[in-house]
Each structure stands twice: as C-alpha cells, then as structure tokens.
Amino acid sequence: MATYNVGYFVGSLAKASINRKLALALVRLAPKELQLKEIPFADLPLYSYDYDANFPPVARALKDAIAGVDAVLFVTPEYNRSIPGALKNAIDWASRPYGQNSFTRKPSGVIGTSPGKIGTAVGQQHLRSILAFCNSPLMNSIEAYIQFTPGLITDDGEVTDESFAEFLRNYITEFHGFITRVYTALPRNA
Ligand SMILES: Cc1cc2nc3c(=O)[nH]c(=O)nc-3n(C[C@H](O)[C@H](O)[C@H](O)COP(=O)(O)O)c2cc1C
C-alpha cells in the first residue's frame, strides 16, 4: 500500500483536551504507511472576506499545510451539538479565497470524543455537511463516536483498553484504505 501524509486538526483549543489525547492515540496506532502531522490553527484571526486580497501569514501557513498533505483528519469535540467555533473559523479560512478552496478533492475523515453518551455524533454530522460543501471526499464508514471515560487514553496517547485500541487501529487503517481508493480512482489534479 502507498504511503500518504495526513494533516490532522484537533478541534479543541483546551490544554487538557480529550480530543488531543485521541489524536495522539491515532498517531500511535496508525499503519506505518500513514504519516500523521497536526495542522495548528489557534492563532488565526476571525475570518472575513476583507482578507481575501491579502491573506495574513498565519492563514497562508494554514493553506500551505493543507496543500502539503494528501488527506485531512478532523478529531473534534462537539460544542452545543455542532463543531467548535475555532475549528469552523479555520475551515472558513482554508476554503477561501473563492476558487482556492483547500479542501477540494482532498480526502477527509472525522472522529471525536466527548464525555457524553453520543460521543460527538451530532457535531460530526454538522462537520460532514460542511466538508461535503467543501467538495472533500469524506470517509462514510466506519464512523467513530467515542464516549471518553477517565483514563481511557493517557496524556501522551496510550490507550489503556485493548479492545478500544483495536477499534481505533481499525478506524485509522480503514482511513488509509479510503485515501488509497480515492487516489486510485483519480489523482487529485486530474
Ligand atoms: C461550549 C461547550 C459546549 C459543549 N457542548 C457539548 C455538546 O454539545 N455535546 C457534548 O457531548 N459535549 C459538549 N460539551 C462538553 C465537551 O464534550 C467537553 O468539554 C469535552 O472535554 C470537550 O473536548 P476537549 O476536551 O477535547 O476540548 C461542551 C463543552 C463546551 C465548553
């Protein structure tokens, strides 16, 4: 199988983010043919189309980071049954200027965790809708709505429950397969 670079977004800005722990777990459990690297966005100002004529360096860096990877993975909390505003802001930046949407034909995946029983399911549906509009081929299945319990993943991403580790390994391996199928069908610039 081919090797792909994946840029991942952690939807939370919180220092003790459980979604960051989940992202680190996925990095650990990914097949060696999948290279995962975080795409940061915390320093972006709030987007306005007034910036379109002259994107600030931090926004250019975001677009360059997305351009430099084969696929993107969103690891995000649910805020008020949607996605956090900071993540939506980053997506809005990356989708512009008009005609230069960074997500076009860029494969994506969505996953998230929350202490609640439905584990970000509603937030993820909102994100799927956004990514569909951004013309990103999105992995439909498998879905992963994870209820976080204390100690499930350590701060540095070690999963303490082997059956859960196996679930995550399967998720990230499926994502590798999905990316491979998208690019096998047609390269992104074809
Ligand atoms: C503004 C706000 C809204 C939230 N809304 C939801 C929600 O809709 N569903 C949910 O399961 N948890 C919700 N939570 C709780 C989060 O799941 C919890 O804070 C979790 O730790 C966030 O993930 P993080 O630690 O990666 O930031 C909300 C938290 C905040 C601060």
Side-chain angles (χ1 to χ4, degrees):
M1 289 261 240
T3 297
Y4 293 106
N5 291 309
V6 173
Y8 67 87
F9 292 79
V10 177
S12 173
L13 304 183
K15 289 187 188 71
S17 166
I18 56 178
N19 283 276
R20 179 170 302 284
K21 296 187 207 328
L22 175 59
L24 294 176
L26 291 166
V27 171
R28 279 175 177 250
L29 296 167
K32 66 176 185 331
E33 296 86 1
L34 216 53
Q35 304 290 322
L36 287 104
K37 191 174 167 203
E38 182 168 0
I39 297 182
F41 58 84
D43 295 334
L44 288 166
L46 290 176
Y47 172 77
S48 149
Y49 61 73
D50 294 342
Y51 288 110
D52 280 1
N54 188 15
F55 262 33
V58 65
R60 280 256 56 92
L62 173 74
K63 289 183 75 71
D64 289 349
I66 299 171
V69 292
D70 301 304
V72 288
L73 177 65
F74 293 86
V75 188
T76 185
E78 176 178 278
Y79 270 14
N80 298 316
R81 296 285 184 256
S82 185
I83 62 169
L87 178 61
K88 179 63 164 56
N89 182 52
I91 294 172
D92 290 344
W93 272 109
S95 70
R96 292 280 152 159
Y98 183 76
Q100 296 172 49
N101 166 19
S102 300
F103 298 111
T104 292
R105 299 180 186 164
K106 178 98 34 177
S108 63
V110 174
I111 189 171
T113 186
S114 102
K117 279 204 188 313
I118 60 172
T120 73
V122 183
Q124 286 191 42
Q125 293 311 312
H126 278 202
L127 182 52
R128 284 171 180 272
S129 168
I130 293 163
L131 291 168
F133 182 74
C134 289
N135 196 23
S136 167
L138 175 63
M139 182 167 79
N140 289 318
S141 184
I142 49 178
E143 300 163 293
Y145 309 121
I146 297 158
Q147 182 178 26
F148 197 90
T149 51
L152 182 64
I153 308 174
T154 65
D155 288 353
D156 54 358
E158 190 182 336
V159 178
T160 57
D161 176 288
E162 184 43 40
S163 67
F164 178 51
E166 188 52 36
F167 174 81
L168 291 182
R169 204 176 284 118
N170 185 40
Y171 175 90
I172 199 70
T173 304
E174 279 288 322
F175 190 48
H176 180 239
F178 172 74
I179 298 165
T180 307
R181 278 192 294 279
V182 170
Y183 285 114
T184 302
L186 262 188
R188 191 168 174 254
N189 56 2

